[in-house]
Amino acid sequence: MLIKTYGSAVQGVNAYTITIEVNVSAGTKYTLVGLPDNAVKEGELRIESALKQYGYKVPRQKVVINMAPADIRKEGSAYDLPIAMGLLAASGQIKPDRVSQYMIMGELSLDGSLRPIKGVLPIAIQARKEGFKGIILPAQNAQEAAIVNNLDVIGVANILEAIEFLDEHRNIEPLVIDTREVFQNTVDQYAADFADVQGQENIKRALEIAAAGGHNVIMIGPPGAGKTMLAKRLPSVLPPLSMHEALETTKIHSVAGKLGEAASLLTTRPYRSPHHTISDVALVGGGSIPQPGEISLAHNGVLFLDELPEFKRTVLEVMRQPLEERRVTISRAKTTLDFPANFMLIASMNPCPCGYYNHPEKECVCGPGVVQRYLNKVSGPLLDRIDLHVEVTPVTFDEMTATRKSEESATVRERVVQARERQTHRFKEVPQIHSNAMMPSQMVKEVCQINDAGRTLLKTAMERLGLSARAYDRILKVSRTIADLADSPEIKIEHLAEAIQYRSLDREGWAG
């Protein structure tokens, strides 16, 4: 008897339906074809043990299982459950009627219980798209799948529940979650808040500008000045995630297996802070089975690189192209996958190896030329993609012990959202540009026009401070964002003056 069950394969951040054809006929051999990897092949032993626990068995006849399309490699152990259901239906141990109405996925344990799987959200989206009545999967993954509406999500704890449900001996109510309500109730609930930070008003201002225009930032300062603490609070002042962004972000985390058990929709912007020993593949994505890297996990959020010069040069260089294109392309011999990577880069570094160059109180012990060599570890092309350079100085004792309450993140976020709305209106004709930071050079000339006084100031600043040519466009973009925060239609001289302050590393002799 020939039976078809349906599973799914995840490639990149999208899923593809896999048809599992099971044919039981006279003979004795068990054959599995359709490009399965070892984890799929080993499923035979798990299935046999799991079925035995509940009095069912793998038929002792000729069994041929084909996983179509046969040219896509089937990876992982999540095909155990659909293959088991196919075997039972094909050998007449359960009714075959409902087996093909559901997409089925799950990894079996030897005792018949089900283990959670990765990539459930894209699988559920694909199941709804293809018109399946529902999806049967491990109970731990049900919350995640229930994000997708108009689809019956049947969470089962073990293989017996799945068998009895398909055989119509057990009724399992589909899990229903009001995604919109969950989203509205939990959006923008961050543990860290700007109100916790005493002093550092100039850094908070720089981060507010960065959030308002989507600019990348590098903070330079001695150890203990508060660079990491400030970066951690940046997501709390970014505009709230839209429903579309939340789904997109959740999808990436689902594919990477980072959602955890019983997780649902991600409603806060991601904050990723990889260690400086990270490899190229772990940062940008890839591997033999291509997986999203840290830059994709930071999509729609913040990627924080602490101690930037300590990262391997190759790791930083592979990030240059994704910073421009807002996505990363992983190419393999047989396939090319795109992972989204639209993130804000926040980097921090000490000004020198000992950390105390330019410190108001402590002495720098680095020898001549050491400071410049340390700064040169960060390449010019990477710095070119960072709009704001901010010097962080340690907080004084008086500021630290002040009782005055700092401004809350929610207040700052309101200003950021208003500035972003002005940018949305400005770029409504250009759908691929959402913020000032994304403007190409030719658009900067049109959008960031300055008057004669502004031109004179910029010329003087570039000559006196020895600012490089790369600083010119960046200053104009940042000044446009400052003007948006001030609700000003044109860039005024004070907006330019503030933007010029944020180009520390471009000054000739900064480390001289």
Side-chain angles (χ1 to χ4, degrees):
M1 187 174 177
L2 176 68
I3 288 290
K4 290 184 183 180
T5 61
Y6 296 91
S8 193
V10 177
Q11 287 193 334
V13 289
N14 297 311
Y16 302 89
T17 302
I18 302 294
T19 305
I20 298 162
E21 302 168 325
V22 184
N23 190 25
V24 176
S25 56
T28 54
K29 200 175 175 192
Y30 179 101
T31 313
L32 179 62
V33 295
L35 219 58
D37 73 352
N38 281 339
V40 182
K41 289 175 188 166
E42 288 163 358
E44 181 193 348
L45 301 170
R46 291 192 292 271
I47 291 166
E48 188 165 17
S49 172
L51 291 177
K52 212 174 265 181
Q53 299 293 325
Y54 299 105
Y56 296 91
K57 60 184 189 298
V58 172
R60 292 282 173 258
Q61 292 164 277
K62 184 181 178 185
V63 175
V64 178
I65 301 167
N66 176 42
M67 304 179 82
D71 59 341
I72 292 179
R73 188 159 179 75
K74 321 303 179 305
E75 289 154 338
S77 49
Y79 298 104
D80 291 356
L81 193 58
I83 291 173
M85 295 299 114
L87 284 168
L88 291 173
S91 58
Q93 295 178 70
I94 63 169
K95 294 179 196 164
D97 316 349
R98 300 175 73 183
V99 171
S100 58
Q101 294 174 12
Y102 292 85
M103 187 172 275
I104 307 169
M105 291 298 277
E107 178 191 334
L108 284 168
S109 294
L110 295 182
D111 64 356
S113 60
L114 283 164
R115 301 170 69 86
I117 60 171
K118 293 200 289 192
V120 166
L121 183 56
I123 290 169
I125 291 168
Q126 182 66 13
R128 183 181 65 180
K129 198 164 131 192
E130 300 240 343
F132 284 95
K133 186 180 180 192
I135 179 169
I136 298 172
L137 76 176
Q140 299 99 312
N141 294 120
Q143 293 263 77
E144 188 186 329
I147 293 170
V148 181
N149 50 19
N150 303 326
L151 184 76
D152 288 357
V153 176
I154 310 296
V156 290
N158 54 52
I159 193 169
L160 182 65
E161 288 183 16
I163 291 168
E164 290 180 348
F165 174 77
L166 289 171
D167 219 11
E168 297 181 88
H169 293 317
R170 179 193 289 253
N171 183 38
I172 300 175
E173 283 299 315
L175 179 67
V176 179
I177 292 176
D178 187 340
T179 314
R180 299 250 161 220
E181 191 186 332
V182 171
F183 183 67
Q184 296 301 335
N185 290 345
T186 57
V187 74
D188 275 344
Q189 288 187 0
Y190 294 95
D193 196 284
F194 263 20
D196 311 333
V197 183
Q198 294 288 6
Q200 302 292 26
E201 298 306 324
N202 59 328
I203 320 300
K204 287 188 209 163
R205 169 68 178 167
L207 292 180
E208 181 183 336
I209 294 165
H215 302 288
N216 300 324
V217 184
I218 184 163
M219 295 184 280
I220 314 118
K227 303 186 290 291
T228 308
M229 182 177 71
L230 285 154
K232 208 168 270 180
R233 281 155 178 74
L234 181 64
S236 68
V237 299
L238 287 168
L241 280 172
S242 67
M243 191 66 173
H244 172 71
E245 285 177 326
L247 275 168
E248 201 176 32
T249 310
T250 308
K251 213 167 158 185
I252 297 166
H253 285 250
S254 171
V255 168
K258 303 280 184 192
L259 279 182
E261 290 184 19
S264 187
L265 195 65
L266 287 178
T267 53
T268 55
R269 291 194 178 270
Y271 171 84
R272 305 294 300 180
S273 177
H275 192 257
H276 60 75
T277 54
I278 193 169
S279 68
D280 312 12
V281 169
L283 187 72
V284 296
S288 54
I289 304 169
Q291 287 283 301
E294 287 290 336
I295 61 172
S296 293
L297 293 169
H299 180 61
N300 291 325
V302 173
L303 178 72
F304 177 53
L305 302 184
D306 200 3
E307 304 303 341
L308 190 68
E310 303 300 336
F311 282 80
K312 291 203 295 276
R313 185 82 175 221
T314 52
V315 170
L316 297 178
E317 297 311 299
V318 291
M319 216 168 52
R320 278 157 50 178
Q321 180 248 353
L323 275 168
E324 288 288 311
E325 297 191 2
R326 313 260 164 186
R327 63 190 170 81
V328 61
T329 305
I330 310 290
S331 296
R332 291 288 174 271
K334 290 184 181 174
T335 183
T336 300
L337 299 173
D338 271 359
F339 289 113
N342 183 11
F343 59 92
M344 265 179 74
L345 174 66
I346 308 296
S348 80
M349 60 183 280
N350 293 333
C352 65
C354 81
Y356 295 109
Y357 178 78
N358 269 359
H359 194 283
E361 290 149 24
K362 294 190 182 175
E363 193 72 31
C364 172
V365 295
C366 299
V370 172
V371 178
Q372 192 60 56
R373 266 202 308 281
Y374 187 72
L375 294 175
N376 286 346
K377 283 185 177 182
V378 183
S379 71
L382 183 65
L383 277 180
D384 195 18
R385 289 160 175 79
I386 298 177
D387 295 353
L388 289 97
H389 308 161
V390 190
E391 286 185 63
V392 184
T393 50
V395 180
T396 63
F397 181 77
D398 291 343
E399 283 177 319
M400 219 182 300
T401 54
T403 50
R404 184 174 60 86
K405 192 93 169 110
S406 297
E407 196 172 32
E408 289 185 354
S409 290
T411 317
V412 181
R413 194 190 310 127
E414 280 172 28
R415 295 197 293 268
V416 168
V417 169
Q418 285 166 8
R420 286 283 182 120
E421 280 167 2
R422 288 176 200 113
Q423 289 162 55
T424 305
H425 178 71
R426 179 181 302 132
F427 303 124
K428 62 178 184 287
E429 305 294 322
V430 196
Q432 66 272 27
I433 296 177
H434 310 294
S435 63
N436 290 335
M438 296 168 85
M439 283 190 285
S441 292
Q442 63 271 30
M443 193 180 271
V444 173
K445 290 186 177 70
E446 296 165 31
V447 174
C448 307
Q449 293 185 353
I450 50 177
N451 57 23
D452 290 341
R455 261 191 293 278
T456 310
L457 172 70
L458 199 47
K459 185 176 181 225
T460 312
M462 292 192 78
E463 287 168 359
R464 289 244 184 102
L465 300 172
L467 296 177
S468 66
R470 76 160 76 104
Y472 179 75
D473 270 7
R474 307 280 157 188
I475 288 170
L476 288 178
K477 284 184 190 180
V478 172
S479 56
R480 180 63 265 170
T481 302
I482 295 168
D484 286 340
L485 278 167
D487 197 9
S488 167
E490 69 270 349
I491 298 171
K492 295 180 180 167
I493 199 155
E494 60 266 30
H495 305 146
L496 262 177
E498 188 177 355
I500 290 165
Q501 290 178 67
Y502 300 125
R503 293 307 298 180
S504 305
L505 289 179
D506 269 335
R507 291 177 196 159
E508 278 176 13
W510 185 83

